[in-house]
Amino acid sequence: MLVAAAVCPCPPVLVPEVAAGAAAELDAARAACADALGVLAAARPDLLVVVGPAGQPGRGVFPQGSRGTFRGFGAEVDVRLGGGPAGGPDAAGERELPPSLAVGAWLLERMGWSGAPVEGLGVGESLEAERCVRAGREIAGRAARVAMLVMGDASACRTLKAPGYLDERAAPFDAEVARALGAADIEALKALDADLAYQLKAAGRAPWQVLAGAAEGADLGGALLHDDAPYGVCYLVATWS
């Protein structure tokens, strides 16, 4: 059963070495993420599953120890998911962590996660809502006490200089997602429009719907810790417990 969840944004610029001189601009987001991960640790889960958007269709599982890197973003920073034996392509033929899960691994390393075993799940950004919900139900059934770290950004269309340019639909979409995450509103997350999310470049849609499936019957309460749109991209941090 799901006992706790932390929802965090997944831009590589959360990593200070990637952001370089602009690192301080996301200090508040990093602090909120640290607080959210503290809720996961306090829940004392038997298993932590990190879920994030990935480029491939469908789903991809990443075992503990899978490697990720930010070298492609100009920073010599490497991470491993949850510590443990090194996974990754040169160790066990496994794929490298997608950027979203690499950011999740970095957040866990930053807080010194030493609790439950950690696994990763990359979900294709086009994965249908029903399949996302089904994946969440499967995650919740993996152990008696399951926690989730859910990585994903909201829209990237909040300003003229945003990656997706300005779209008038972005602010209302982000406001509804923020409300749903803060209220742990499972049905509202399930009902998110996948086509609209794609048009607004909201990469978190599929992971949030995985969370909604995992939280069925768990009766968790939500709290919104951070809501900001630097660079025209909406970053949300929330906890469910």
Side-chain angles (χ1 to χ4, degrees), residues 17 59 147 163 195 200 221:
E17 291 87 345
R59 298 183 287 164
D195 289 336
L200 297 178

Side-chain angles (χ1 to χ4, degrees), residues 18-214:
V18 174
E25 296 176 9
L26 292 182
D27 279 350
R30 292 187 197 95
C33 289
D35 290 343
L37 266 64
V39 171
L40 299 185
R44 298 185 179 276
D46 301 317
L47 173 68
L48 172 62
V49 180
V50 185
V51 181
Q56 82 280 353
R59 298 183 287 164
V61 176
F62 297 85
Q64 178 157 315
S66 294
R67 296 176 181 175
T69 183
F70 297 98
R71 294 176 186 268
F73 298 95
E76 294 188 4
V77 177
D78 300 315
V79 293
R80 284 195 294 153
L81 186 64
D90 49 350
E94 295 154 3
R95 295 155 295 162
E96 184 178 283
L97 292 172
S100 65
L101 297 187
V103 174
W106 178 82
L107 288 172
L108 291 170
E109 287 188 1
R110 182 171 181 253
M111 77 166 292
W113 180 267
S114 59
V118 181
E119 296 180 6
L121 178 67
V123 291
E125 293 183 38
S126 61
L127 194 67
E128 300 89 342
E130 290 183 3
R131 294 181 63 191
C132 292
V133 170
R134 191 182 315 131
R137 292 169 181 154
E138 293 171 0
I139 289 172
R142 293 281 311 282
R145 298 182 64 80
V146 176
M148 293 175 63
L149 172 55
V150 183
M151 310 299 297
D153 304 336
S155 80
C157 301
R158 291 285 291 272
T159 66
L160 292 174
K161 294 184 178 181
Y165 196 66
L166 177 64
D167 191 313
E168 294 179 353
R169 301 171 296 175
F173 176 89
D174 292 341
E176 171 58 12
V177 172
R179 185 206 64 77
L181 291 175
D185 189 336
I186 294 172
E187 296 307 317
L189 293 179
K190 289 181 182 178
L192 289 175
D193 187 322
D195 289 336
L196 177 59
Y198 178 79
Q199 294 169 29
L200 297 178
K201 300 185 181 298
R205 189 275 308 172
W208 300 329
Q209 290 182 325
V210 174
L211 169 61

